Amino acid sequence: MNSSNFGPRPLFDEGQVRRALELIGEHEPIGRKKLAEKLGIGEGSMRTILNRLKEKGLITSTARGHVLTDKGDRELGERSRKFLEIDVGDLTVGKVSVATMVKDAIEKVRRGIEQRDEAIKVGAQGATTLVYRDEDLELLCSETQLDKEIKSELLEFFQPSENDIIVIGTADSKKYAERGALAAAESLSD
């Protein structure tokens, strides 16, 4: 079969579809151009994402922008993600680091390499996995101690509970660092 029959590959991933829904919930009403800018994708890709969300009944369009439907509100529910751009120094390899948290996901983490790989697949330079257990935040599979200021900032922002995971995506831009954090987190949400 000729691959040209399938059309061009989308220039976005499912994590960005999810993030678009979250951004609509955070900023509703919000226009297509602003959403595309926040996601770091083209307007054509944004149109496709918005059409997918409309087809699923998760959003609707108004004269002022896109808003969540009741179904969209329910879909977001507890899974809505918070992101924190944070300077973690030499802990990560990129210029920019963005963290997010996954509730009660310790059972889904093995070594953290899997989360790093998911981040790299979407254009980030990597991901660092942190575990909250015994009332402490620590690097997964490492004896290295987390800097007290970084730990304090992460704990204050996310307020994790026992067995929560914080992943930090890293890249040379916020766009790709956030994509990396999202992809790493989504790999733990399945």
Side-chain angles (χ1 to χ4, degrees):
M1 202 179 251
N2 185 344
S3 64
S4 64
N5 294 336
F6 297 111
R9 276 185 62 216
L11 299 176
F12 57 88
D13 55 51
E14 288 307 310
Q16 289 171 296
V17 174
R18 176 73 186 180
R19 185 67 181 132
L21 187 65
E22 292 170 349
L23 287 168
I24 293 168
E26 290 171 24
H27 302 283
E28 63 184 343
I30 186 170
R32 182 183 71 240
K33 286 183 181 183
K34 191 68 162 173
L35 269 171
E37 180 184 305
K38 286 185 173 293
L39 281 172
I41 62 174
E43 285 190 54
S45 293
M46 192 70 251
R47 241 187 291 338
T48 302
I49 289 173
L50 291 169
N51 286 337
R52 283 186 185 182
L53 294 172
K54 285 178 193 173
E55 287 169 7
K56 292 179 180 180
L58 301 174
I59 67 167
T60 190
S61 299
T62 70
R64 295 181 59 221
H66 305 284
V67 297
L68 295 178
T69 62
D70 289 342
K71 182 178 179 183
D73 273 330
R74 286 190 305 274
E75 174 74 17
L76 277 181
E78 290 294 311
R79 288 192 63 202
S80 185
R81 295 212 184 283
K82 291 173 32 176
F83 290 89
L84 173 66
E85 185 174 354
I86 183 170
D87 181 358
V88 293
D90 294 337
L91 183 62
T92 59
V93 296
K95 294 177 186 172
V96 180
S97 296
V98 175
T100 193
M101 186 173 74
V102 184
K103 300 293 287 171
D104 199 30
I106 199 164
E107 296 295 324
K108 297 176 183 170
V109 177
R110 288 185 276 186
R111 298 175 297 162
I113 294 169
E114 301 81 7
Q115 286 67 52
R116 179 206 63 197
D117 291 350
E118 291 302 314
I120 289 170
K121 286 179 190 175
V122 298
Q125 290 175 309
T128 301
T129 305
L130 307 172
V131 179
Y132 187 77
R133 60 180 160 209
D134 300 327
E135 298 183 13
D136 194 21
L137 188 62
E138 57 191 49
L139 288 161
L140 185 67
C141 301
S142 175
E143 296 299 316
T144 304
Q145 292 295 311
L146 194 56
D147 178 86
K148 288 180 183 180
E149 287 182 34
I150 295 167
K151 184 187 293 190
S152 176
E153 189 173 352
L154 289 167
L155 290 173
E156 183 178 326
F157 184 81
F158 291 110
Q159 298 182 357
S161 300
E162 190 72 8
N163 298 328
D164 288 350
I165 302 295
I166 294 175
V167 288
I168 304 171
T170 184
D172 286 336
S173 71
K174 182 178 179 184
K175 168 182 153 181
Y176 284 103
E178 185 175 290
R179 275 188 189 179
L182 181 60
E186 289 294 314
S187 75
L188 297 170
S189 298
D190 300 335

